[in-house]
Amino acid sequence: MKRKLDQRISESASQQISNLQSLIATIKSDLGDQLVILGHHYQRDDVIQFADFRGDSLKLARDAAKCVDAKYIVFCGVHFMAETADILSQPDQAVLLPDLKAGCPLAEMANRSDVEEAWAQLGKVMDVEGEVLPITYVNSSAALKAFCGQHGGSVCTSSNAASVLAWAFERRRRVLFFPDQHLGRNTAKKMGIPLEEMALWNPSLPLGGNDVEALKRARVFLWRGFCNVHQRFKPEHVTAWRERDPEIRVIVHPECEMAVVDLADEAGSTATIIKRVEESPPGTRWAIGTEANLVNRLKHEHLEQVIDHLSSEPSYCRTMNLITLEKLARVMEGLAEGEITNQVTVPDDVARDARVALERMLEAS
Ligand code: 13P
Ligand code: SF4
């Protein structure tokens, strides 16, 4: 039966939402085990309700590798997550992203040619292959994961960055960490590496904007990337909360800048933030520094606690929010009609090397 999505879209807003929901639910039930929907914690409530598995980046990578029987994996998240799912899934599985424009601006702050150039420039100052290990945050293109795979390196997420860095330092003296400077700095600092042994790498400047001495001193080269959603949280937000409520517990994502992480009570991945809230006693008061959809959901799901955004203005991820109920319905309708739309495919040669780096991560964490 051909479902008439376009016709449904012209109906009244609430009728439209309920039609889209029933359309998705029907197709989901018709496709049964052939379909798995994965949803990141930053997705909107109306979308994530359909996810078979929810998670942070690490869990979703593991889930994608595990659901070997599904023919289709619909990824409600951003592009690098769908690429990771494609790399870790079986060759005959198709990964679909409801909006192919849902990229991650942080992931786009490093590209393969700039990283190769950085590697070559570092190579003029030190023995890169013997001394430096490249580690990419999972928020990066498959091409960068492949670069890490080819040079002995690995991938990390916000929940395993410390164990992956420890793994890296067992192998080489220094790490080139891209693209998120904040996760790299916060993690290395927590491991006891002093700030003087970290060098910020600006890809548009010779030697990344460093002198030779600073590079020789550095144990971590931090790519100059950042997440605009998390960089909006400032130390003043933490201090304002503490003045208002001395008992407040502040928890933030490690993509926040160091000054914010240092002032917070705790920092952790989206899964860690959820876990900490879930295991806290009723009456706990929280100010949470991460994407607003997740904070709002925690607020509604934990009425026994008092949960608020760290900043007065909630911080939404524009690209995560590109995945809407309507776009999910469109890819699902395609599947019901035997059509694969919005497929994310990583070329075989890139996937092969990227898989090496991802598997090293999965083993190290
Ligand atoms: P998590 O791995 O903590 O879910 O983070 C993903 C992300 O994009 C955070 O901005
Ligand atoms: Fe990328 Fe930041 Fe959005 Fe996460 S919150 S997907 S890092 S832009």
CSV table of all heavy atoms in Angstrom, one decimal, residues 135-193:
chain,number,residue,atom,x,y,z
A,135,ILE,N,45.2,10.6,17.6
A,135,ILE,CA,44.0,10.2,18.2
A,135,ILE,C,42.9,11.1,17.7
A,135,ILE,O,43.0,12.4,17.9
A,135,ILE,CB,44.0,10.2,19.7
A,135,ILE,CG1,45.1,9.4,20.3
A,135,ILE,CG2,42.6,9.8,20.3
A,135,ILE,CD1,45.0,7.9,20.1
A,136,THR,N,41.9,10.6,17.1
A,136,THR,CA,40.7,11.5,16.7
A,136,THR,C,39.5,11.2,17.6
A,136,THR,O,39.2,10.1,18.0
A,136,THR,CB,40.4,11.3,15.2
A,136,THR,OG1,39.4,12.3,14.9
A,136,THR,CG2,39.8,9.9,14.9
A,137,TYR,N,38.9,12.3,18.0
A,137,TYR,CA,37.6,12.3,18.7
A,137,TYR,C,36.7,11.6,17.6
A,137,TYR,O,36.8,11.9,16.4
A,137,TYR,CB,37.2,13.7,19.0
A,137,TYR,CG,36.0,13.8,19.9
A,137,TYR,CD1,35.5,12.8,20.7
A,137,TYR,CD2,35.3,15.0,19.9
A,137,TYR,CE1,34.4,13.0,21.5
A,137,TYR,CE2,34.1,15.2,20.7
A,137,TYR,CZ,33.7,14.2,21.5
A,137,TYR,OH,32.6,14.4,22.2
A,138,VAL,N,35.7,10.8,18.1
A,138,VAL,CA,34.8,10.2,17.2
A,138,VAL,C,34.0,11.2,16.3
A,138,VAL,O,33.6,10.9,15.2
A,138,VAL,CB,33.9,9.2,18.0
A,138,VAL,CG1,32.9,10.0,18.8
A,138,VAL,CG2,33.2,8.2,17.1
A,139,ASN,N,33.9,12.4,16.9
A,139,ASN,CA,33.3,13.5,16.1
A,139,ASN,C,34.2,14.0,15.1
A,139,ASN,O,34.9,15.0,15.2
A,139,ASN,CB,32.9,14.7,17.0
A,139,ASN,CG,31.9,14.4,18.1
A,139,ASN,OD1,32.0,13.3,18.7
A,139,ASN,ND2,31.0,15.3,18.4
A,140,SER,N,34.4,13.2,14.0
A,140,SER,CA,35.3,13.5,12.9
A,140,SER,C,34.9,12.7,11.7
A,140,SER,O,34.2,11.7,11.9
A,140,SER,CB,36.8,13.1,13.4
A,140,SER,OG,36.8,11.7,13.7
A,141,SER,N,35.5,13.0,10.6
A,141,SER,CA,35.1,12.3,9.3
A,141,SER,C,35.8,10.9,9.4
A,141,SER,O,36.8,10.7,10.0
A,141,SER,CB,35.6,13.1,8.1
A,141,SER,OG,37.0,13.1,8.1
A,142,ALA,N,35.2,10.0,8.5
A,142,ALA,CA,35.8,8.7,8.4
A,142,ALA,C,37.2,8.8,7.9
A,142,ALA,O,38.1,8.0,8.2
A,142,ALA,CB,34.9,7.8,7.4
A,143,ALA,N,37.5,9.8,7.0
A,143,ALA,CA,38.8,10.0,6.5
A,143,ALA,C,39.9,10.2,7.6
A,143,ALA,O,41.0,9.7,7.5
A,143,ALA,CB,38.9,11.1,5.5
A,144,LEU,N,39.5,10.9,8.6
A,144,LEU,CA,40.4,11.2,9.7
A,144,LEU,C,40.6,9.9,10.6
A,144,LEU,O,41.7,9.7,11.1
A,144,LEU,CB,39.9,12.3,10.6
A,144,LEU,CG,40.1,13.7,9.9
A,144,LEU,CD1,39.8,14.8,10.9
A,144,LEU,CD2,41.5,13.9,9.4
A,145,LYS,N,39.5,9.1,10.7
A,145,LYS,CA,39.6,7.9,11.5
A,145,LYS,C,40.6,7.0,10.7
A,145,LYS,O,41.4,6.3,11.3
A,145,LYS,CB,38.3,7.2,11.6
A,145,LYS,CG,37.4,8.1,12.6
A,145,LYS,CD,36.0,7.4,12.7
A,145,LYS,CE,35.1,8.3,13.7
A,145,LYS,NZ,34.4,9.4,13.1
A,146,ALA,N,40.5,7.0,9.3
A,146,ALA,CA,41.4,6.2,8.5
A,146,ALA,C,42.8,6.6,8.7
A,146,ALA,O,43.7,5.8,8.8
A,146,ALA,CB,41.0,6.3,7.1
A,147,PHE,N,43.0,8.0,8.8
A,147,PHE,CA,44.4,8.5,9.0
A,147,PHE,C,45.0,7.9,10.3
A,147,PHE,O,46.1,7.4,10.3
A,147,PHE,CB,44.4,10.0,9.1
A,147,PHE,CG,45.7,10.6,9.4
A,147,PHE,CD1,46.6,10.9,8.4
A,147,PHE,CD2,46.1,10.8,10.7
A,147,PHE,CE1,47.8,11.5,8.6
A,147,PHE,CE2,47.4,11.4,11.0
A,147,PHE,CZ,48.2,11.7,9.9
A,148,CYS,N,44.1,7.9,11.3
A,148,CYS,CA,44.6,7.3,12.6
A,148,CYS,C,44.9,5.8,12.5
A,148,CYS,O,45.9,5.3,13.0
A,148,CYS,CB,43.6,7.5,13.7
A,148,CYS,SG,43.4,9.3,14.1
A,149,GLY,N,44.0,5.1,11.8
A,149,GLY,CA,44.2,3.7,11.5
A,149,GLY,C,45.5,3.4,10.9
A,149,GLY,O,46.3,2.5,11.2
A,150,GLN,N,45.9,4.3,9.9
A,150,GLN,CA,47.1,4.1,9.1
A,150,GLN,C,48.4,4.4,9.9
A,150,GLN,O,49.5,4.0,9.5
A,150,GLN,CB,47.1,5.0,7.9
A,150,GLN,CG,46.1,4.5,6.8
A,150,GLN,CD,45.8,5.6,5.8
A,150,GLN,OE1,46.1,6.8,6.0
A,150,GLN,NE2,45.2,5.2,4.7
A,151,HIS,N,48.2,5.2,10.9
A,151,HIS,CA,49.4,5.7,11.7
A,151,HIS,C,49.5,5.1,13.1
A,151,HIS,O,50.1,5.8,14.0
A,151,HIS,CB,49.5,7.2,11.7
A,151,HIS,CG,49.8,7.8,10.3
A,151,HIS,ND1,51.0,7.9,9.8
A,151,HIS,CD2,48.9,8.2,9.3
A,151,HIS,CE1,50.9,8.4,8.5
A,151,HIS,NE2,49.6,8.6,8.2
A,152,GLY,N,48.9,4.0,13.3
A,152,GLY,CA,49.0,3.3,14.6
A,152,GLY,C,48.1,3.9,15.7
A,152,GLY,O,48.1,3.5,16.8
A,153,GLY,N,47.2,4.9,15.3
A,153,GLY,CA,46.4,5.6,16.3
A,153,GLY,C,45.0,5.0,16.4
A,153,GLY,O,44.7,3.9,16.0
A,154,SER,N,44.2,5.8,17.1
A,154,SER,CA,42.9,5.3,17.5
A,154,SER,C,41.8,6.4,17.5
A,154,SER,O,42.1,7.6,17.2
A,154,SER,CB,43.0,4.6,18.9
A,154,SER,OG,41.8,4.1,19.3
A,155,VAL,N,40.6,6.0,17.9
A,155,VAL,CA,39.5,7.0,18.0
A,155,VAL,C,39.2,7.0,19.5
A,155,VAL,O,39.5,6.1,20.3
A,155,VAL,CB,38.3,6.4,17.2
A,155,VAL,CG1,37.1,7.3,17.3
A,155,VAL,CG2,38.7,6.1,15.8
A,156,CYS,N,38.6,8.1,20.0
A,156,CYS,CA,38.0,8.1,21.3
A,156,CYS,C,36.7,8.8,21.3
A,156,CYS,O,36.3,9.5,20.4
A,156,CYS,CB,38.9,8.8,22.3
A,156,CYS,SG,39.0,10.5,22.2
A,157,THR,N,35.9,8.5,22.4
A,157,THR,CA,34.6,9.3,22.5
A,157,THR,C,34.8,10.0,23.9
A,157,THR,O,35.8,9.9,24.6
A,157,THR,CB,33.4,8.4,22.6
A,157,THR,OG1,33.5,7.7,23.9
A,157,THR,CG2,33.4,7.3,21.5
A,158,SER,N,33.8,10.8,24.2
A,158,SER,CA,33.9,11.5,25.5
A,158,SER,C,33.9,10.6,26.7
A,158,SER,O,34.3,10.9,27.8
A,158,SER,CB,32.8,12.6,25.6
A,158,SER,OG,31.5,11.9,25.5
A,159,SER,N,33.4,9.3,26.5
A,159,SER,CA,33.3,8.5,27.7
A,159,SER,C,34.6,7.6,27.8
A,159,SER,O,34.8,7.0,28.9
A,159,SER,CB,32.1,7.6,27.7
A,159,SER,OG,31.9,7.0,26.5
A,160,ASN,N,35.4,7.5,26.8
A,160,ASN,CA,36.6,6.7,27.0
A,160,ASN,C,37.9,7.4,26.7
A,160,ASN,O,39.0,6.8,26.5
A,160,ASN,CB,36.5,5.4,26.1
A,160,ASN,CG,36.4,5.7,24.6
A,160,ASN,OD1,36.8,6.8,24.2
A,160,ASN,ND2,36.0,4.8,23.8
A,161,ALA,N,37.8,8.7,26.6
A,161,ALA,CA,39.0,9.5,26.2
A,161,ALA,C,40.2,9.2,27.1
A,161,ALA,O,41.3,9.1,26.6
A,161,ALA,CB,38.7,11.0,26.2
A,162,ALA,N,40.0,9.1,28.4
A,162,ALA,CA,41.1,8.9,29.3
A,162,ALA,C,41.7,7.5,29.1
A,162,ALA,O,43.0,7.4,29.0
A,162,ALA,CB,40.6,9.0,30.8
A,163,SER,N,40.9,6.5,28.9
A,163,SER,CA,41.5,5.2,28.7
A,163,SER,C,42.2,5.1,27.3
A,163,SER,O,43.3,4.5,27.2
A,163,SER,CB,40.6,4.0,28.9
A,163,SER,OG,39.3,4.3,28.5
A,164,VAL,N,41.7,5.8,26.3
A,164,VAL,CA,42.4,5.8,25.0
A,164,VAL,C,43.7,6.6,25.1
A,164,VAL,O,44.7,6.2,24.5
A,164,VAL,CB,41.4,6.3,23.9
A,164,VAL,CG1,42.2,6.5,22.5
A,164,VAL,CG2,40.2,5.4,23.7
A,165,LEU,N,43.7,7.7,25.8
A,165,LEU,CA,44.9,8.5,25.9
A,165,LEU,C,46.0,7.7,26.7
A,165,LEU,O,47.1,7.7,26.3
A,165,LEU,CB,44.7,9.8,26.6
A,165,LEU,CG,44.2,11.0,25.7
A,165,LEU,CD1,44.3,12.3,26.4
A,165,LEU,CD2,44.9,11.1,24.3
A,166,ALA,N,45.5,7.0,27.7
A,166,ALA,CA,46.4,6.1,28.5
A,166,ALA,C,47.0,5.1,27.6
A,166,ALA,O,48.3,4.8,27.6
A,166,ALA,CB,45.7,5.5,29.7
A,167,TRP,N,46.2,4.5,26.7
A,167,TRP,CA,46.6,3.5,25.7
A,167,TRP,C,47.7,4.1,24.8
A,167,TRP,O,48.7,3.5,24.5
A,167,TRP,CB,45.4,3.0,25.0
A,167,TRP,CG,45.6,2.1,23.8
A,167,TRP,CD1,45.6,0.7,23.8
A,167,TRP,CD2,45.8,2.5,22.5
A,167,TRP,NE1,45.8,0.2,22.6
A,167,TRP,CE2,46.0,1.3,21.7
A,167,TRP,CE3,45.9,3.7,21.8
A,167,TRP,CZ2,46.2,1.3,20.3
A,167,TRP,CZ3,46.2,3.7,20.4
A,167,TRP,CH2,46.3,2.5,19.7
A,168,ALA,N,47.4,5.3,24.4
A,168,ALA,CA,48.3,6.0,23.4
A,168,ALA,C,49.7,6.2,24.1
A,168,ALA,O,50.7,6.0,23.5
A,168,ALA,CB,47.7,7.3,23.0
A,169,PHE,N,49.7,6.7,25.3
A,169,PHE,CA,50.9,7.0,26.0
A,169,PHE,C,51.7,5.8,26.3
A,169,PHE,O,52.9,5.9,26.6
A,169,PHE,CB,50.7,7.9,27.2
A,169,PHE,CG,50.4,9.3,26.8
A,169,PHE,CD1,49.2,9.9,27.3
A,169,PHE,CD2,51.2,10.1,26.0
A,169,PHE,CE1,48.9,11.2,27.0
A,169,PHE,CE2,50.9,11.4,25.7
A,169,PHE,CZ,49.7,12.0,26.1
A,170,GLU,N,51.1,4.6,26.4
A,170,GLU,CA,51.9,3.4,26.5
A,170,GLU,C,52.7,3.1,25.3
A,170,GLU,O,53.6,2.3,25.3
A,170,GLU,CB,50.9,2.2,26.8
A,170,GLU,CG,50.5,2.1,28.2
A,170,GLU,CD,49.3,1.2,28.3
A,170,GLU,OE1,49.0,0.3,27.4
A,170,GLU,OE2,48.5,1.3,29.3
A,171,ARG,N,52.2,3.6,24.1
A,171,ARG,CA,52.9,3.3,22.9
A,171,ARG,C,53.8,4.4,22.4
A,171,ARG,O,54.9,4.1,21.8
A,171,ARG,CB,51.8,3.1,21.8
A,171,ARG,CG,51.2,1.7,22.0
A,171,ARG,CD,49.8,1.6,21.5
A,171,ARG,NE,49.4,0.2,21.7
A,171,ARG,CZ,48.9,-0.2,22.9
A,171,ARG,NH1,48.7,0.7,23.9
A,171,ARG,NH2,48.5,-1.5,23.1
A,172,ARG,N,53.4,5.7,22.5
A,172,ARG,CA,54.3,6.8,22.1
A,172,ARG,C,54.3,7.9,23.1
A,172,ARG,O,53.4,8.0,23.9
A,172,ARG,CB,53.9,7.3,20.7
A,172,ARG,CG,54.1,6.2,19.6
A,172,ARG,CD,54.0,6.6,18.2
A,172,ARG,NE,53.8,5.5,17.4
A,172,ARG,CZ,53.3,5.5,16.2
A,172,ARG,NH1,52.9,6.6,15.6
A,172,ARG,NH2,53.1,4.3,15.5
A,173,ARG,N,55.3,8.7,23.0
A,173,ARG,CA,55.5,9.8,24.0
A,173,ARG,C,54.5,10.9,23.8
A,173,ARG,O,54.2,11.6,24.8
A,173,ARG,CB,57.0,10.3,23.7
A,173,ARG,CG,57.5,11.1,24.8
A,173,ARG,CD,58.9,11.5,24.6
A,173,ARG,NE,59.1,12.9,24.9
A,173,ARG,CZ,58.8,13.4,26.1
A,173,ARG,NH1,58.3,12.7,27.1
A,173,ARG,NH2,59.0,14.7,26.4
A,174,ARG,N,54.1,11.1,22.6
A,174,ARG,CA,53.2,12.3,22.3
A,174,ARG,C,52.0,11.9,21.6
A,174,ARG,O,52.0,10.9,20.8
A,174,ARG,CB,54.0,13.3,21.5
A,174,ARG,CG,55.3,13.7,22.0
A,174,ARG,CD,56.0,14.6,21.0
A,174,ARG,NE,57.4,14.6,21.1
A,174,ARG,CZ,58.1,15.6,21.7
A,174,ARG,NH1,57.5,16.6,22.3
A,174,ARG,NH2,59.5,15.5,21.7
A,175,VAL,N,50.9,12.8,21.7
A,175,VAL,CA,49.7,12.5,21.0
A,175,VAL,C,49.3,13.8,20.2
A,175,VAL,O,49.4,14.9,20.7
A,175,VAL,CB,48.6,12.2,22.0
A,175,VAL,CG1,47.2,12.4,21.4
A,175,VAL,CG2,48.7,10.8,22.6
A,176,LEU,N,48.8,13.5,18.9
A,176,LEU,CA,48.2,14.6,18.2
A,176,LEU,C,46.7,14.3,18.3
A,176,LEU,O,46.2,13.3,17.8
A,176,LEU,CB,48.7,14.6,16.7
A,176,LEU,CG,47.9,15.5,15.7
A,176,LEU,CD1,48.0,17.0,16.1
A,176,LEU,CD2,48.4,15.3,14.3
A,177,PHE,N,46.0,15.2,18.9
A,177,PHE,CA,44.6,15.0,19.2
A,177,PHE,C,43.7,16.0,18.4
A,177,PHE,O,43.9,17.2,18.5
A,177,PHE,CB,44.4,15.2,20.8
A,177,PHE,CG,43.0,14.8,21.2
A,177,PHE,CD1,42.8,13.6,21.8
A,177,PHE,CD2,41.9,15.7,21.2
A,177,PHE,CE1,41.5,13.2,22.2
A,177,PHE,CE2,40.6,15.3,21.6
A,177,PHE,CZ,40.4,14.1,22.1
A,178,PHE,N,42.8,15.4,17.7
A,178,PHE,CA,41.9,16.3,16.9
A,178,PHE,C,40.4,15.8,16.9
A,178,PHE,O,40.3,14.6,17.2
A,178,PHE,CB,42.4,16.5,15.4
A,178,PHE,CG,42.9,15.2,14.8
A,178,PHE,CD1,42.1,14.3,14.2
A,178,PHE,CD2,44.3,15.0,14.8
A,178,PHE,CE1,42.6,13.1,13.6
A,178,PHE,CE2,44.8,13.8,14.2
A,178,PHE,CZ,43.9,12.9,13.6
A,179,PRO,N,39.4,16.6,16.6
A,179,PRO,CA,39.5,18.0,16.4
A,179,PRO,C,39.1,18.8,17.6
A,179,PRO,O,39.2,20.1,17.5
A,179,PRO,CB,38.4,18.2,15.3
A,179,PRO,CG,37.4,17.2,15.4
A,179,PRO,CD,38.1,16.0,16.2
A,180,ASP,N,38.7,18.2,18.7
A,180,ASP,CA,38.2,19.0,19.8
A,180,ASP,C,39.3,19.3,20.9
A,180,ASP,O,39.6,18.5,21.7
A,180,ASP,CB,37.0,18.3,20.5
A,180,ASP,CG,36.4,19.2,21.6
A,180,ASP,OD1,36.5,20.4,21.5
A,180,ASP,OD2,35.8,18.7,22.6
A,181,GLN,N,39.7,20.6,20.9
A,181,GLN,CA,40.8,20.9,21.8
A,181,GLN,C,40.3,20.7,23.3
A,181,GLN,O,41.1,20.4,24.2
A,181,GLN,CB,41.2,22.4,21.6
A,181,GLN,CG,40.1,23.4,21.8
A,181,GLN,CD,40.6,24.8,21.8
A,181,GLN,OE1,41.3,25.3,22.6
A,181,GLN,NE2,40.2,25.6,20.7
A,182,HIS,N,39.0,21.0,23.5
A,182,HIS,CA,38.6,21.0,24.9
A,182,HIS,C,38.6,19.6,25.5
A,182,HIS,O,39.1,19.4,26.6
A,182,HIS,CB,37.2,21.7,25.1
A,182,HIS,CG,37.2,23.1,24.6
A,182,HIS,ND1,38.0,24.0,25.2
A,182,HIS,CD2,36.5,23.7,23.7
A,182,HIS,CE1,37.8,25.2,24.6
A,182,HIS,NE2,36.9,25.0,23.7
A,183,LEU,N,38.0,18.6,24.8
A,183,LEU,CA,38.1,17.3,25.3
A,183,LEU,C,39.5,16.8,25.5
A,183,LEU,O,39.8,16.2,26.5
A,183,LEU,CB,37.3,16.3,24.3
A,183,LEU,CG,37.4,14.8,24.7
A,183,LEU,CD1,36.6,14.6,26.0
A,183,LEU,CD2,36.9,13.9,23.6
A,184,GLY,N,40.4,17.2,24.5
A,184,GLY,CA,41.8,16.8,24.6
A,184,GLY,C,42.4,17.4,25.9
A,184,GLY,O,43.1,16.7,26.7
A,185,ARG,N,42.2,18.7,26.0
A,185,ARG,CA,42.9,19.4,27.2
A,185,ARG,C,42.3,18.9,28.5
A,185,ARG,O,43.1,18.6,29.4
A,185,ARG,CB,42.7,20.9,27.0
A,185,ARG,CG,43.4,21.8,28.0
A,185,ARG,CD,43.1,23.2,27.8
A,185,ARG,NE,43.7,23.8,26.6
A,185,ARG,CZ,42.9,24.2,25.5
A,185,ARG,NH1,41.6,24.1,25.6
A,185,ARG,NH2,43.5,24.6,24.4
A,186,ASN,N,41.0,18.8,28.6
A,186,ASN,CA,40.4,18.4,29.9
A,186,ASN,C,40.8,17.0,30.3
A,186,ASN,O,41.1,16.7,31.4
A,186,ASN,CB,38.9,18.4,29.7
A,186,ASN,CG,38.3,19.8,29.7
A,186,ASN,OD1,38.8,20.7,30.3
A,186,ASN,ND2,37.3,20.1,28.9
A,187,THR,N,40.9,16.1,29.3
A,187,THR,CA,41.3,14.7,29.6
A,187,THR,C,42.8,14.7,30.0
A,187,THR,O,43.2,14.0,31.0
A,187,THR,CB,41.0,13.8,28.4
A,187,THR,OG1,39.7,14.1,27.9
A,187,THR,CG2,41.2,12.4,28.7
A,188,ALA,N,43.6,15.3,29.2
A,188,ALA,CA,45.1,15.3,29.4
A,188,ALA,C,45.4,15.9,30.8
A,188,ALA,O,46.2,15.4,31.6
A,188,ALA,CB,45.8,16.0,28.3
A,189,LYS,N,44.7,17.0,31.1
A,189,LYS,CA,44.9,17.7,32.4
A,189,LYS,C,44.6,16.7,33.5
A,189,LYS,O,45.3,16.6,34.5
A,189,LYS,CB,44.1,18.9,32.4
A,189,LYS,CG,44.4,19.8,33.7
A,189,LYS,CD,43.7,21.1,33.6
A,189,LYS,CE,44.0,21.8,34.9
A,189,LYS,NZ,42.8,22.5,35.5
A,190,LYS,N,43.4,16.0,33.4
A,190,LYS,CA,43.0,15.1,34.4
A,190,LYS,C,44.0,14.0,34.6
A,190,LYS,O,44.1,13.4,35.7
A,190,LYS,CB,41.6,14.6,34.0
A,190,LYS,CG,40.7,14.3,35.2
A,190,LYS,CD,39.3,14.1,34.7
A,190,LYS,CE,38.6,13.2,35.7
A,190,LYS,NZ,37.3,12.7,35.2
A,191,MET,N,44.7,13.7,33.5
A,191,MET,CA,45.7,12.6,33.6
A,191,MET,C,47.0,13.1,34.2
A,191,MET,O,48.0,12.3,34.3
A,191,MET,CB,46.0,12.0,32.2
A,191,MET,CG,44.8,11.3,31.7
A,191,MET,SD,45.1,10.9,29.9
A,191,MET,CE,46.2,9.5,30.1
A,192,GLY,N,47.1,14.4,34.5
A,192,GLY,CA,48.3,14.9,35.2
A,192,GLY,C,49.3,15.5,34.2
A,192,GLY,O,50.4,15.9,34.6
A,193,ILE,N,48.9,15.7,33.0
A,193,ILE,CA,49.8,16.4,32.0
A,193,ILE,C,49.7,17.9,32.2
A,193,ILE,O,48.6,18.5,32.1
A,193,ILE,CB,49.5,16.0,30.6
A,193,ILE,CG1,49.7,14.5,30.5
A,193,ILE,CG2,50.3,16.8,29.6
A,193,ILE,CD1,49.4,13.9,29.1
